[in-house]
Amino acid sequence: MLEIMKSDYQLEIIFKIKQNREAKGLGQKNIADILGISEGHVGNIESPKFPQKYTLKQLDILCKYFKMPTEQLFIPDDIYVQENINITALLVEKIVEYEN
């Protein structure tokens, strides 16, 4: 039986970071250096085959590095641009979803 290592939502967040990394011409080693972790650990995070994911602290560091608002990382673009939504409540909900 194949065990699911990461949720679809976790993979979505990790993919957004990977897209930003690649858009800036950065390799996994660059991200590892920014976060103070091994390149192999970044590879495990980006792979759906392993349970590792970025911590919230690491995501905060990467959002700042990429000059990306944290809520833009966690909230889908189509929802993020809507008016009259409680961004804070939605952000907390999405962070909890990522953590689980």
Side-chain angles (χ1 to χ4, degrees):
M1 183 168 98
L2 181 65
E3 183 181 342
I4 296 174
M5 296 306 222
K6 294 180 184 98
S7 71
D8 288 343
Y9 184 65
Q10 290 167 340
L11 289 170
E12 182 181 320
I13 298 300
I14 292 165
F15 183 71
K16 284 183 182 181
I17 294 294
K18 182 178 179 181
Q19 283 181 308
N20 275 282
R21 171 178 73 71
E22 290 175 343
K24 300 273 187 203
L26 301 174
Q28 291 180 344
K29 171 112 174 67
N30 300 111
I31 298 301
D33 290 344
I34 292 165
L35 297 176
I37 61 178
S38 71
E39 183 178 356
H41 190 75
V42 174
N44 287 350
I45 289 170
E46 289 188 359
S47 171
K49 297 177 184 177
F50 299 97
Q52 291 89 347
K53 63 184 183 197
Y54 290 113
T55 65
L56 292 177
K57 182 178 180 177
Q58 290 168 338
L59 290 173
D60 182 51
I61 291 167
L62 292 171
C63 282
K64 287 174 181 164
Y65 181 83
F66 291 123
K67 295 177 175 55
M68 170 195 297
T70 305
E71 58 271 18
Q72 191 175 1
L73 177 64
F74 285 98
I75 299 172
D77 291 338
D78 59 330
I79 296 172
Y80 183 71
V81 298
Q82 289 180 13
E83 293 183 30
N84 301 320
I85 61 168
N86 184 335
I87 282 287
T88 304
L90 187 56
L91 179 59
V92 169
E93 180 183 312
K94 290 299 187 180
I95 289 171
V96 169
E97 182 179 346
Y98 176 80
E99 277 293 287
N100 293 326

